[in-house]
């Protein structure tokens, strides 16, 4: 593997290195990354890539792929030789940000006669200190490629990057929950939806009235139009807050409700400093006030799930102003912002 150059991406505050390795090295080191987690982008029918297969066998230069590391130690001052050494030692901890289909195609044709194992595959490596920034870059890299939805990209990043157990919460997939539900565990799909909403800076990332493809386009547009990326906060703050507050049963019960979780996550993006400083007891008192105010809305006149998302978002987004409101003051505030 050879690194030729490096530069600094000012949008995501990360280092981007450019290099190459042989097809042999790519098959050995990179193709295992395709399936190293429980989730991977659904590999497309090989008929979509038959032309690329023929071109590879005929000696084309395959379009570059993009790898990524969540790593703070690599910066613009890091020597190219050290980046090479880092990659050779840590490649198993990287993930494919863009190029899964190309790698799978390369693996598929590698058993053909006259395959050139010494042909070069070019790549970019992005080193970023926060996974949120990598999701933003992944969205921009894959925008317009229908097979990779924003939800799939979030799922892929979470499977590769977040160690929920180390962060202090229990997360289960639907399949795991069907076998045996662990006490106080969160549904992984709810966490993924909260992350998607966090990146889109909007609690409304799911609307059954809109065709899914169009909804995905709206989400992508929201993510791309949101100014990246606040250096002082990231989605890991949401996980840390959940881990901190969950010691009180009422708190974890409230947070496990998907609409609450989504609204809370997006609101925390703005108010992470003040919310992370709360004690579990203070958070419990806050959601008690919220619930009392929310309970005074007429359920026959509103869409409960949508309203819960919007108001929990509004409450925690403006928490510095609303934290000392009593039930009636908060109800009046909610009434003002929901009055058509």
């Amino acid at each position: 593997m050879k690194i030729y150059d490096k530069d600094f991406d000012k949008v995501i505050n990360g280092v981007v290195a450019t290099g190459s390795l042989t097809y042999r090295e790519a098959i050995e080191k990179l193709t295992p990354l395709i399936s190293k987690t429980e989730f991977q982008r659904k590999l497309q029918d090989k008929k979509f890539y038959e032309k690329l297969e023929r071109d590879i066998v005929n000696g084309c230069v395959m379009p570059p792929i993009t790898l990524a590391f969540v790593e703070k130690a690599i910066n613009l001052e890091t020597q190219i030789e050290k980046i090479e050494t880092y990659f050779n030692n840590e490649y198993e901890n990287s993930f494919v940000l863009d190029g899964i289909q190309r790698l799978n195609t390369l693996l598929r044709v590698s058993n053909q006669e006259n395959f050139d194992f010494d042909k070069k595959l070019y790549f970019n490596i992005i080193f970023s200190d926060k996974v949120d920034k990598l999701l933003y870059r992944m969205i921009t890299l894959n925008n317009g490629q229908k097979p990779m939805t924003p939800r799939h990209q979030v799922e892929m990043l979470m499977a590769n990057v977040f160690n929920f157990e180390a962060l202090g919460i229990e997360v289960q997939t639907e399949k795991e929950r069907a076998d045996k539900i662990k006490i106080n565990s969160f549904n992984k799909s709810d966490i993924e939806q909260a992350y998607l909403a966090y990146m889109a800076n909007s609690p409304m990332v799911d609307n059954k009235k809109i065709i899914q493809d169009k909804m995905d386009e709206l989400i992508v547009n929201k993510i791309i139009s949101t100014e990246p990326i606040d250096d002082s906060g990231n989605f890991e703050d949401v996980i840390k807050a959940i881990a901190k507050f969950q010691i009180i049963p009422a708190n974890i019960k409230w947070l496990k409700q998907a609409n609450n979780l989504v609204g809370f996550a997006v609101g925390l993006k703005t108010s992470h400093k003040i919310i992370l400083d709360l004690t579990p007891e203070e958070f419990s008192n806050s959601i008690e006030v919220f619930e009392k105010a929310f309970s005074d809305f007429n359920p026959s006149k509103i869409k409960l799930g949508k309203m819960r998302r919007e108001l929990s978002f509004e409450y925690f987004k403006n928490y510095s102003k609303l934290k000392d409101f009593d039930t009636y003051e908060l109800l009046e505030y909610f009434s003002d912002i929901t009055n058509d």
Side-chain angles (χ1 to χ4, degrees):
M1 192 271 287
K2 181 69 176 177
I3 296 292
Y4 303 118
D5 201 2
K6 61 181 179 180
D7 206 342
F8 190 74
D9 187 325
K10 294 181 180 180
V11 176
I12 64 170
N13 296 320
V15 172
V16 179
T18 301
S20 69
L21 74 174
T22 66
Y23 282 174
R24 179 180 286 103
E25 291 173 310
I27 291 167
E28 176 190 340
K29 295 182 177 181
L30 303 186
T31 57
L33 302 178
I34 297 173
S35 57
K36 73 175 186 178
T37 61
E38 65 195 65
F39 169 81
Q40 58 177 318
R41 175 179 173 182
K42 183 180 179 181
L43 297 173
Q44 297 302 297
D45 190 306
K46 67 177 183 179
K47 68 182 180 182
F48 290 107
Y49 289 88
E50 286 177 350
K51 183 64 169 69
L52 179 57
E53 289 183 18
R54 293 195 297 270
D55 286 349
I56 291 173
V57 173
N58 291 332
C60 78
V61 176
M62 195 163 74
I65 66 171
T66 302
L67 307 172
F69 287 93
V70 179
E71 176 55 59
K72 299 178 181 179
I74 303 296
N75 55 56
L76 198 55
E77 304 303 318
T78 305
Q79 295 179 352
I80 284 176
E81 293 78 10
K82 289 187 177 180
I83 295 177
E84 288 182 1
T85 300
Y86 179 90
F87 176 81
N88 282 316
N89 291 335
E90 302 291 338
Y91 66 88
E92 291 179 340
N93 295 320
S94 70
F95 57 95
V96 183
L97 208 62
D98 182 54
I100 285 179
Q101 305 294 349
R102 275 159 276 164
L103 284 173
N104 187 62
T105 302
L106 182 67
L107 178 62
R108 194 163 53 244
V109 301
S110 62
N111 61 356
Q112 293 194 21
E113 189 177 357
N114 300 324
F115 180 80
D116 185 358
F117 284 93
D118 295 320
K119 188 75 175 176
K120 288 183 179 179
L121 169 64
Y122 295 91
F123 61 85
N124 297 314
I125 307 176
I126 300 177
F127 297 92
S128 181
D129 62 338
K130 294 177 181 177
V131 66
D132 299 355
K133 301 174 183 178
L134 294 178
L135 176 60
Y136 174 84
R137 181 56 69 233
M138 178 185 277
I139 291 286
T140 56
L141 284 171
N142 287 285
N143 190 21
Q145 297 183 26
K146 183 178 178 181
M148 191 63 151
T149 69
R151 287 177 173 81
H152 287 166
Q153 293 176 67
V154 163
E155 190 174 352
M156 181 178 182
L157 274 181
M158 294 188 76
N160 278 276
V161 176
F162 287 107
N163 185 336
F164 293 109
E165 185 176 353
L167 290 170
I169 68 171
E170 188 73 53
V171 175
Q172 288 186 292
T173 64
E174 291 286 355
K175 182 178 179 180
E176 290 169 338
R177 293 173 72 83
D179 293 336
K180 182 180 180 181
I181 298 178
K182 293 184 179 180
I183 297 176
N184 294 333
S185 66
F186 285 83
N187 191 325
K188 191 174 183 182
S189 63
D190 292 341
I191 299 290
E192 289 163 355
Q193 189 173 45
Y195 188 19
L196 191 64
Y198 180 94
M199 288 300 299
N201 203 29
S202 169
M204 306 315 296
V205 291
D206 194 17
N207 189 334
K208 302 302 182 185
K209 295 181 180 179
I210 299 177
I211 298 171
Q212 189 61 59
D213 285 354
K214 293 300 179 183
M215 191 69 216
D216 288 337
E217 289 179 16
L218 291 175
I219 293 169
V220 167
N221 288 335
K222 284 182 179 182
I223 293 175
I224 292 176
S225 63
T226 300
E227 283 298 319
I229 284 171
D230 185 356
D231 281 332
S232 59
N234 58 71
F235 187 73
E236 193 169 300
D237 293 331
V238 177
I239 307 301
K240 290 178 180 177
I242 294 171
K244 181 179 182 180
F245 300 149
Q246 68 180 354
I247 63 171
I248 294 180
N251 292 352
I252 194 169
K253 181 179 179 181
W254 191 86
L255 287 166
K256 284 176 65 177
Q257 211 280 345
N259 291 316
N260 292 335
L261 178 62
V262 169
F264 170 72
V266 188
L268 184 139
K269 188 172 186 177
T270 300
S271 307
H272 61 277
K273 290 183 179 179
I274 187 171
I275 292 175
L276 285 171
D277 281 341
L278 294 176
T279 65
E281 290 75 19
E282 289 170 333
F283 180 78
S284 183
N285 291 335
S286 293
I287 60 174
E288 183 178 354
V289 173
F290 172 87
E291 286 299 322
K292 287 179 179 178
F294 186 81
S295 67
D296 286 326
F297 280 89
N298 187 340
S300 66
K301 302 293 184 179
I302 63 173
K303 295 180 179 179
L304 281 173
K306 180 176 182 290
M307 185 68 75
R308 181 172 284 278
R309 284 192 183 207
E310 291 177 340
L311 293 186
S312 58
F313 162 60
E314 186 71 30
Y315 183 52
F316 287 105
K317 177 184 178 182
N318 298 290
Y319 189 74
S320 60
K321 180 175 81 171
L322 304 178
K323 62 184 178 66
D324 294 322
F325 278 28
D326 62 26
T327 300
Y328 297 105
E329 291 170 326
L330 187 59
L331 178 61
E332 182 178 5
Y333 178 84
F334 285 164
S335 177
D336 289 341
I337 65 174
T338 57
N339 188 13
D340 294 329

